[in-house]
Structures are given as structure tokens and as C-alpha cells.
Amino acid sequence: MAGRFLSFLCCELAGGLIGWWLGHDYAIRTGLVAGGLGWLAVDSLRATRVLRWLLRGNAEAVPPVAGIWGEIVDRARRVLRASDQELVTARKRLQEFLEAIQESPNGVILLDAQGRIEWCNQTAADQFGLDPKRDLMQQVTNLVRDPSFTACYNDNGSGGSGGSGGREVVIPGPRSVPSRPVRLSLYLHAYGEGRKLLLSRDVTAVEQAEVMRRDFIANVSHEVRTPLTVLTGFVETLQNLPLEAGERARYLDLMARQAQRMQTLVGDLLTLSRLEGSPLPGAGEWTPAAALMVQCEQDGRSLANLLGKALNLRVGPPPALEIAGAPSELLSAMSNLVSNAVRYTPAGGSVDMQWRPLADGGAEFRVCDTGPGIALEHIPRLTERFYRIDRSRSRETGGTGLGLAIVKHVVQRHGGELSIDSTPGKGSIFAIRFPPRRVRAAPSLNGQAPADTGAPPATESLAG
Ligand code: ADP
């Protein structure tokens, strides 16, 4: 401030001196006035420059002004720089925030007070079939056309600003078709000045799992109820009627069969739950495929005896290879296939089981039968739990409807494949294919170490 006053005095002094030098009284006064006006003009010029610079708002292009104006410019520049920095930081944070929402597995749509889309993430765009750029500022109810969503939107809109107002509505996705249904769960939350946040989640898998869970419980209850009803009936008969020893023994035999049926069902259910809950079988435990086949053959023969069926049960040459995985699971899958073939093939038919090498170095266990065969439309559904083509036939032979579901599970856990090939009236071929990494040559009789995983020679030796 002192500098400003000093510069004014200097201008006045200079004007006065010039007037004195000219030698007239009025000239001194005029010189003083001219000095003051000159100072004012220079000062105004500086003020204008500073004002223009402030209007431009560019903290870097500083005008060359000295004195108090220079100081003002310097302070204003610092303030501008700080606010520029804050702006950059705020923009960066907003960008990071939007990127985080972009990565969300749930859809997020921001709506303005008029219900227009201000922003949406890619998940929401995919779920609703939106274009994140083209559909900006479009009315959401024009793009998400579902009566329950519109009703929810209108309800929420009348709730006014603020408040959460989150109510779930589940609508079919725009790309939903009967063969591939898509279900979206939507939540609408009000915030700010009449704005809304629309959250969406794909609940197709959750709903399907729920349906499967309900079906599964209904199936299990049904499967248990039937033998239980029979058992209860026999118990009542035994309690209330005086029966002869022979009749009594027959009833007890029928009861034992029903109890056995329930036991088999519980056993299969436990096997499935163990398969679902246990870690994947490692590739470090090797089991000779020949031993597995011998066990399957024994199981098949005793089942045929139990069913009183004369079958031609043939077994291929013992395979000189080993399979990596859980032996109990492998045996369960293989003997399920053999048991099905024995149960469904009529007396006099034949059941063949054998190991075959595969060109890729893997191996295949296949069971061929001359049973009734399976119509093409049933094949994709055979591994569903409790799916049976002929319910009474399955039950008569002690089936639970879970055998092939167990096989499929085991095969998947071992990285393999189950293939079913069948011709109605002729027979079926069920095959389990193991990948090369789960197959190796069995140690030779002279005690040599086995070749490495799935080496082609291992399977080639089987070819003969
Ligand atoms: P189940 O205990 O009823 O045999 P599975 O899951 O093992 O249950 O098999 C499902 C259905 O597939 C069976 O009910 C049967 O109709 C059919 N099936 C399975 N194996 C054979 C086969 N070898 N020949 C004919 N049908 C078969």
C-alpha cells in the first residue's frame, strides 16, 4: 500500500516539477493534475489486465503487472492453482468411482428427477440391452418395458425425494426366451433431489437353483414315501392279523425289500452329497484299471444272480494301464454303468465291458448291452437326478434314478466325459472317457516304473 502511495506522490511531484519548469502558476497546478491523471491511467490499465486475466481463469498466463496488482495476481494465481488441483483430484476420484461401478457384477443406472438415464454401467447395458451412449437421457420406462417395473417406478416416484424406497421386482430380461430364460431382480432407490438409483442383478441361476432344490426335495420325499407307506401297511397287517408262518415270512421279506430300497436311496444321496462337497480328486493316486474291471465284473455277476437273470456277461482283455483319481469314485461310476446294463437287459441278452485306448493318449471304459435301448429324446436328460424312462422298471430292479447322475459327477470330477450311444430295440453303449493326464501304463511285470501320464505307448499296448 505504501508503494502505491509513493508512486502516486512521485507522479504528482513529476507533474508539479514540469509545471514549475515551464514557469507559470497555472502550469504547476495543471502539472499536478496531469501527474495524478497519468498515475490513474496506468493504474486502471493494470487493473484491466488483471481483470481480464481473472476472467480467463488461466492460472498460468499471468499478466506482467507490478506493485499491489502484481501481489493480487500472485495471490489469485495461488487460489486458482489450488482450485484447479482440487478439480483435477475430484475428477480423478469420480473417474475411479465410475470405473469401480463399471466393474460391478450388478447393473447400476443413475436416473435424474424426470426418470431419464444419466449414466449406466456396462453390466446394466448388457442386462437391459441398452447402449450406454445412445440411450443417455432417454426415459427409463420407455426402455425397460415391464408393467411391474413401471408400477414400482411410479410408486417410488410418488414417495418424493430422499428415503431408500428399495422394493424388489423380478422381471424377465429383454433377451429372455422360453428355452433360455433370463430373470432380472431390480431395486429402485430414491436419493438426492428426486433422483433415483436403479440396481439390477441377474438371478436366473439363483431361481433355477431354487426350482431344482424344490424339485429335488419333492422327488426325495416321493421316493421315500412310497416304500414307507408299504412298510407301514405291512407292519399294521402283522400287528392286527394272526398270520401263518409262511405268510408272515413272505410279508417280512417284502418289508426287507422296501427297507433295502430306502437304504439304497439314502446311500446314493449320500454319495452325491459327498461328491458335491469333497475336493476334486488329485492326480497322484493311481489305480490299476484291471482291478476296477474285475470288481465291476463281480458286481455285475452277483446282481444278475440276485435278479435271477441269465445274461451273457463278457469282459474285454485286462488293460495294462492305470487311472489317476479316487478309486472308490471310479469304481462307483463304472459299476453303475454295469449295473444299469445288467438291470435293463432282458434275460438271454449280453453285456460287454472293456477298456479301449484313445488316439489322444486317454482311455475309455465302455459297457455295451443288447437291452431295450433309449430313444434319442431321453438321452440328454438321463443324467438328471431321478430322471427315468420307465419308472416302474427302474424300481423293480432296485434303481433309484440317481445312478447316472453319480456317474456324470464322478466323470466330471476326473476331467472326463460320459458318452451315451443307443438304438431303441437294439441296445446301448455307455462310455467313460478319461483324459491323457489321468491315464498311464501299468508297471510291467518285471517291475519297471510306469511311463509318464497318458503316454501313447501305454494305450497302444492295449490295442492288441
Ligand atoms: P436308475 O436307478 O433308474 O437306473 P439311472 O440314473 O442309473 O437310474 O438311469 C436313468 C434311466 O436311464 C433309467 O431309469 C433307465 O430308464 C435309463 N437307462 C440307464 N441305463 C440304461 C441301459 N443300459 N439301457 C436302457 N436304459 C437305461
Side-chain angles (χ1 to χ4, degrees), residues 306-334:
L306 198 75
L307 297 172
K309 227 188 241 182
L311 284 176
N312 185 9
L313 209 141
R314 294 187 294 241
V315 182
L321 67 130
E322 292 183 328
I323 305 293
S328 60
E329 290 184 24
L330 294 170
L331 183 63
S332 153
M334 289 165 61

Side-chain angles (χ1 to χ4, degrees), residues 158-177:
S158 58
S161 64
S164 65
R167 178 163 75 87
E168 187 188 23
V169 277
V170 179
I171 65 167
R175 296 196 191 106
S176 183
V177 283

Side-chain angles (χ1 to χ4, degrees), residues 336-337 340-341 343-344 369 372-374 382 384 387-390 394 398-405 428 430:
N336 253 308
L337 295 187
N340 278 354
R343 285 191 297 122
Y344 293 109
D369 66 53
I374 302 159
L382 286 184
E384 283 176 25
Y387 187 85
R388 290 143 158 153
I389 301 166
D390 184 340
S394 156
T400 59
L402 295 172
L404 290 179
S428 315
F430 284 76

Side-chain angles (χ1 to χ4, degrees), residues 315-387:
V315 182
L321 67 130
E322 292 183 328
I323 305 293
S328 60
E329 290 184 24
L330 294 170
L331 183 63
S332 153
M334 289 165 61
S335 68
N336 253 308
L337 295 187
V338 175
S339 140
N340 278 354
V342 169
R343 285 191 297 122
Y344 293 109
T345 304
S350 60
V351 172
D352 291 80
M353 65 179 100
Q354 62 165 315
W355 279 96
R356 285 199 333 165
L358 294 175
D360 65 359
E364 174 188 88
F365 173 71
R366 56 155 51 196
V367 181
C368 314
D369 66 53
T370 55
I374 302 159
L376 199 63
E377 72 263 23
H378 294 294
I379 291 183
R381 300 198 58 193
L382 286 184
T383 53
E384 283 176 25
R385 289 164 194 201
F386 298 111
Y387 187 85

Side-chain angles (χ1 to χ4, degrees), residues 172-459:
R175 296 196 191 106
S176 183
V177 283
S179 57
R180 275 193 74 171
V182 178
R183 305 277 293 160
L184 299 176
S185 150
L186 311 184
Y187 269 97
L188 200 59
H189 298 269
Y191 75 100
E193 298 282 316
R195 288 165 185 278
K196 288 179 194 73
L197 170 71
L198 176 61
L199 300 176
S200 57
R201 196 163 52 98
D202 190 332
V203 289
T204 316
V206 178
E207 287 204 349
Q208 277 171 354
E210 179 56 22
V211 170
M212 275 170 67
R213 193 187 65 84
R214 274 202 303 264
D215 286 355
F216 184 69
I217 290 176
N219 275 322
V220 172
S221 316
H222 179 77
E223 294 292 330
V224 173
R225 199 170 45 215
T226 317
L228 260 184
T229 313
V230 178
L231 267 178
T232 320
F234 284 139
V235 168
E236 273 173 19
T237 311
L238 287 172
Q239 279 173 336
N240 301 326
L241 294 178
L243 297 171
E244 285 177 10
E247 228 171 350
R248 207 181 160 79
R250 194 170 67 83
Y251 279 179
L252 283 173
D253 183 46
L254 291 170
M255 286 168 75
R257 257 191 247 174
Q258 297 302 327
Q260 175 62 40
R261 193 172 141 192
M262 284 197 287
Q263 214 163 11
T264 315
L265 177 70
V266 171
D268 279 358
L269 286 171
L270 285 175
T271 305
L272 266 178
S273 111
R274 258 197 306 271
L275 288 175
E276 280 172 349
S278 58
L280 288 179
E285 191 176 356
W286 294 90
T287 310
L292 292 170
M293 197 156 72
V294 166
Q295 185 64 50
C296 281
E297 184 193 354
Q298 281 172 8
D299 291 353
R301 288 195 193 285
S302 36
L303 181 63
N305 281 341
L306 198 75
L307 297 172
K309 227 188 241 182
L311 284 176
N312 185 9
L313 209 141
R314 294 187 294 241
V315 182
L321 67 130
E322 292 183 328
I323 305 293
S328 60
E329 290 184 24
L330 294 170
L331 183 63
S332 153
M334 289 165 61
S335 68
N336 253 308
L337 295 187
V338 175
S339 140
N340 278 354
V342 169
R343 285 191 297 122
Y344 293 109
T345 304
S350 60
V351 172
D352 291 80
M353 65 179 100
Q354 62 165 315
W355 279 96
R356 285 199 333 165
L358 294 175
D360 65 359
E364 174 188 88
F365 173 71
R366 56 155 51 196
V367 181
C368 314
D369 66 53
T370 55
I374 302 159
L376 199 63
E377 72 263 23
H378 294 294
I379 291 183
R381 300 198 58 193
L382 286 184
T383 53
E384 283 176 25
R385 289 164 194 201
F386 298 111
Y387 187 85
R388 290 143 158 153
I389 301 166
D390 184 340
R391 205 161 265 274
S392 57
R393 184 129 179 219
S394 156
R395 290 219 182 102
E396 273 165 28
T397 55
T400 59
L402 295 172
L404 290 179
I406 293 175
V407 175
K408 186 183 166 193
H409 241 295
V410 171
V411 171
Q412 278 178 347
R413 283 163 59 80
H414 287 80
E417 248 176 56
L418 170 68
S419 85
I420 306 170
D421 195 0
S422 187
T423 313
K426 288 201 166 163
S428 315
I429 303 172
F430 284 76
I432 301 175
R433 296 202 179 109
F434 291 95
R437 68 193 152 85
R438 294 234 173 225
V439 180
R440 75 175 182 189
S444 58
L445 288 176
N446 58 18
Q448 270 176 358
D452 205 5
T453 315
T459 49

